């Protein structure tokens, strides 16, 4: 597929109209954001809103990893703080609580949301937004979501839907692993389709189409979390994130998180032979050796692969990583193990079940079920999701 890109995509923060700002004149506003919430010229949204005539930006809210995205791992909390550049209070929504309190919202009439999502169900920013919508509905606070691109496009959808008993902060609602929606479209789905019921407005992008990947937008990339350094990371993340539930390194502690995968007990040749009959289109798994400087297997040489995405239009990240997981489980039954709880504030359920969203799926993979057959079994759920999301899509193909 060849795209004709003539101009840079206009982000929601850049498309915020004078009419909207005039309507909000005198309002006390909050902003849910982190350091990557910048416009096309790399100016942060808090500076843009602070400079808008009549807007009283009174506080900030930050998601997982902290306002500066400095917290490296899961369940590493950040404290409330004062933003040195503006003097505004930054309320952490990944600290003592993940839901905003009534006290936090008491000083605002409007909450702007300007966050970079990466198109994967387990990325927690979207659930922080959902919790804010819940509180806004309770208190009558208006929410305005400034839209941003889904960096892995808006067409491809992949993966099983979460079973209700495995709902968690890495999957509150029945989404497939790769949902193909922008953060504003998700806000509409949560607010209307799930029934959160806030007073919600959307500021759309201009020039974004569903077939576009991040590099097609001509926008600068600012890493939204510490282990999402490039758009290439986002492409593999819907599959590679599953390794967080295991003793296999997902490349944290290296310069290529999620693009690298391996462990000291892996042998690449037998793994590659087992994968040879799998339909893993659009990618190449290149054997490599890496040594994490933090996280799993710190200071140990890990044999494994770098996943090179050769054609992102046909690449299926979830299928690829599930096939690799199934192979490793089969070849190394003694060495392979699952991470034990807790994981994202769930203290009983197996982290792998939370990430996959379904214990049955893990059991089927362990039993050697065909990945193709599993895809066929969850397709009915995907078809229903496609119908559910359709009314909330804001952009054409």
């Amino acid at each position: 597929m060849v795209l004709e890109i003539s101009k840079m995509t206009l982000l929601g923060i850049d498309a915020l109209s004078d009419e909207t700002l005039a309507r909000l004149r005198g309002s006390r506003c909050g902003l849910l954001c982190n350091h990557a919430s910048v416009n096309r010229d790399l100016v942060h949204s808090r500076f843009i809103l602070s400079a808008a005539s009549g807007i009283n930006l009174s506080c900030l809210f930050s998601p997982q990893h902290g306002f500066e995205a400095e917290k490296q791992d899961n369940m590493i909390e950040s404290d409330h703080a004062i933003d040195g550049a503006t003097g505004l209070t930054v309320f952490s929504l990944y600290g003592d609580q993940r839901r905003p309190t009534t006290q936090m919202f008491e000083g605002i009439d409007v909450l702007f949301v300007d966050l970079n999502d990466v198109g994967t169900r387990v990325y927690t920013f979207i659930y922080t937004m959902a919790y804010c919508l819940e509180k806004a509905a309770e208190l009558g606070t208006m929410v305005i979501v400034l839209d941003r691109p889904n960096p892995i496009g808006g067409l491809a959808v992949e993966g099983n839907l979460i079973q209700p008993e495995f709902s968690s902060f890495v999957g509150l609602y029945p989404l497939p692993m790769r949902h193909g929606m922008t953060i504003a479209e998700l806000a509409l789905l949560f607010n209307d389709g799930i029934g959160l019921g806030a007073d919600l407005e959307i500021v759309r992008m201009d020039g974004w189409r569903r077939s576009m990947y991040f590099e097609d937008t001509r926008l600068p990339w600012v890493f939204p979390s510490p282990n999402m350094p490039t758009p290439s990371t986002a492409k593999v993340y819907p599959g590679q994130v599953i390794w967080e539930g295991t003793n296999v390194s997902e490349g944290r502690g290296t310069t290529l998180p999620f693009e690298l995968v391996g462990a000291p007990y892996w042998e690449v040749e037998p793994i590659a032979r087992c994968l040879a009959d799998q339909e893993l289109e659009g990618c190449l798994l290149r054997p490599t050796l890496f040594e994490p400087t933090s996280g799993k297997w710190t200071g140990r040489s890990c044999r494994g692969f770098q996943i090179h995405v050769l054609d992102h239009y046909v690449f299926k990240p979830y299928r690829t990583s599930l096939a690799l997981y199934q192979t490793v489980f089969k070849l190394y039954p003694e060495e392979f193990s699952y991470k034990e709880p807790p994981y994202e504030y769930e203290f009983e359920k197996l982290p792998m079940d939370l990430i996959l969203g379904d214990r049955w799926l893990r059991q089927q993979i362990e039993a050697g079920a065909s990945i193709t057959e599993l895809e066929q079994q969850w397709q009915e759920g995907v078809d229903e999701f496609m119908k559910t999301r359709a009314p909330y899509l804001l952009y054409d193909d």
Side-chain angles (χ1 to χ4, degrees):
M1 181 183 295
V2 178
L3 292 172
E4 294 183 4
I5 307 299
S6 59
K7 62 180 181 178
M8 185 184 295
T9 297
L10 196 67
L11 295 166
I13 183 61
D14 293 310
L16 192 58
S17 69
D18 292 338
E19 178 183 354
T20 298
L21 292 171
R23 182 161 45 86
L24 299 176
R25 188 178 300 276
S27 298
R28 302 167 302 164
C29 300
L31 172 63
L32 173 58
C33 62
N34 71 359
H35 81 129
S37 304
V38 298
N39 76 348
R40 56 182 175 173
D41 298 316
L42 294 172
V43 178
H44 196 273
S45 296
R46 73 192 191 282
F47 300 136
I48 296 171
L49 292 174
S50 294
S53 177
I55 296 294
N56 177 20
L57 186 63
S58 56
C59 64
L60 306 173
F61 297 84
S62 65
Q64 184 179 10
H65 303 295
F67 180 76
E68 298 289 352
E70 76 278 14
K71 304 297 185 183
Q72 279 285 332
D73 214 339
N74 301 309
M75 294 183 68
I76 304 297
E77 298 177 345
S78 54
D79 296 326
H80 304 318
I82 300 297
D83 173 35
T86 63
L88 296 174
T89 297
V90 181
F91 292 113
S92 170
L93 296 182
Y94 198 83
D96 293 338
Q97 61 275 314
R98 278 142 300 288
R99 297 175 184 266
T101 64
T102 298
Q103 185 177 13
M104 292 177 188
F105 268 44
E106 280 179 345
I108 62 174
D109 307 302
V110 178
L111 176 68
F112 286 95
V113 176
D114 193 20
L115 287 174
N116 292 268
D117 182 43
V118 297
T120 301
R121 178 181 68 209
V122 300
Y123 206 64
T124 63
F125 290 9
I126 60 177
Y127 306 119
T128 296
M129 175 181 69
Y131 285 155
C132 286
L133 286 167
E134 283 184 343
K135 180 56 69 174
E138 176 188 332
L139 300 177
T141 306
M142 177 187 289
V143 178
I144 299 177
V145 178
L146 307 172
D147 208 7
R148 289 182 173 269
N150 183 326
I152 55 175
L155 292 178
V157 173
E158 185 188 7
N160 57 297
L161 274 61
I162 292 175
Q163 295 302 303
E165 61 267 34
F166 294 100
S167 174
S168 73
F169 196 52
V170 290
L172 283 181
Y173 306 123
L175 303 175
M177 184 61 92
R178 182 178 181 181
H179 51 69
M181 300 179 75
T182 70
I183 192 165
E185 291 173 337
L186 284 168
L188 292 168
L189 173 63
F190 296 164
N191 200 56
D192 184 31
I194 303 296
L196 300 184
D199 178 8
L200 174 64
E201 293 188 12
I202 301 299
V203 180
R204 294 171 45 132
M205 295 177 285
D206 181 40
W208 191 78
R209 301 197 300 276
R210 312 206 74 79
S211 53
M212 293 171 68
Y213 282 68
F214 192 82
E215 51 265 49
D216 300 319
T217 68
R218 299 179 62 190
L219 290 164
W221 176 268
V222 179
F223 63 96
S225 54
N227 287 288
M228 196 62 60
T230 71
S232 295
T233 318
K235 290 177 184 178
V236 301
Y237 182 72
Q240 290 296 89
V241 69
I242 68 172
W243 302 110
E244 289 188 2
T246 75
N247 70 343
V248 171
S249 171
E250 67 275 18
R252 290 178 184 267
T254 76
T255 58
L256 293 170
F258 298 107
E259 293 183 68
L260 295 178
V261 59
Y265 59 85
W266 281 25
E267 300 175 49
V268 296
E269 290 184 3
I271 294 173
R273 284 196 297 270
C274 287
L275 290 173
D277 60 350
Q278 298 279 358
E279 296 178 11
L280 307 181
E281 296 180 294
C283 68
L284 185 147
L285 274 61
R286 183 183 63 83
T288 192
L289 187 73
F290 62 93
E291 187 176 293
T293 59
S294 62
K296 302 172 195 171
W297 306 112
T298 299
R300 296 280 303 277
S301 293
C302 294
R303 291 179 292 273
F305 301 93
Q306 180 180 355
I307 300 181
H308 295 265
V309 179
L310 306 179
D311 184 345
H312 52 221
Y313 294 111
V314 299
F315 173 55
K316 292 185 175 181
Y318 197 46
R319 159 183 270 274
T320 300
S321 295
L322 289 182
L324 185 54
Y325 154 44
Q326 186 176 62
T327 299
V328 171
F329 182 86
K330 173 185 174 182
L331 291 177
Y332 306 105
E334 300 299 323
E335 297 91 343
F336 176 87
S337 65
Y338 293 108
K339 176 182 170 62
E340 294 295 325
Y343 180 75
E344 289 300 348
Y345 302 93
E346 169 57 57
F347 292 88
E348 295 182 3
K349 295 184 177 68
L350 198 67
M352 190 59 142
D353 293 346
L354 297 174
I355 295 168
L356 296 177
D358 191 345
R359 180 183 295 121
W360 176 86
L361 176 58
R362 170 177 60 83
Q363 293 170 339
Q364 288 296 301
I365 291 172
E366 292 173 349
S370 162
I371 302 298
T372 299
E373 291 178 0
L374 292 173
E375 288 175 324
Q376 293 169 349
Q377 291 184 54
W378 71 52
Q379 187 58 45
E380 182 178 350
V382 172
D383 291 342
E384 284 301 313
F385 170 75
M386 297 296 279
K387 293 176 184 177
T388 299
R389 79 170 195 162
Y392 309 110
L393 300 184
L394 301 171
Y395 308 94
D396 297 329
D397 296 350

